[in-house]
């Protein structure tokens, strides 16, 4: 399940076009969208990977 979440976060952050993601979050402000995009690209994959590794090796 964590591996699926990691793959989904990577696709949403790095593969899906910005215009598609902006269309999905059309009701949000530009500031929130920038925060969400930065989070989904960097923070979320790192957090999921940390949880995955902790579960596997911890």
């Amino acid at each position: 399940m964590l591996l699926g979440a990691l793959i989904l976060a990577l696709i949403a952050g790095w593969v899906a076009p910005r215009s598609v993601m902006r269309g999905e979050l059309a009701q949000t402000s530009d500031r929130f969208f920038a925060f969400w995009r930065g989070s989904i690209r960097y923070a979320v994959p790192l957090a999921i990977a940390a949880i995955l590794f902790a579960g596997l090796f911890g």
Side-chain angles (χ1 to χ4, degrees):
M1 193 146 149
L2 284 174
L3 190 58
L6 179 62
I7 292 169
L8 181 62
L10 291 173
I11 289 172
W14 293 99
V15 177
R18 185 182 192 281
S19 60
V20 171
M21 293 292 109
R22 188 64 182 128
E24 291 296 322
L25 297 170
Q27 300 296 323
T28 62
S29 67
D30 290 336
R31 184 179 220 173
F32 178 79
F33 180 73
F35 169 77
W36 177 85
R37 188 157 166 89
S39 295
I40 204 72
R41 290 182 114 186
Y42 301 107
V44 172
L46 287 175
I48 294 172
I51 294 168
L52 181 63
F53 288 129
L56 291 174
F57 302 113

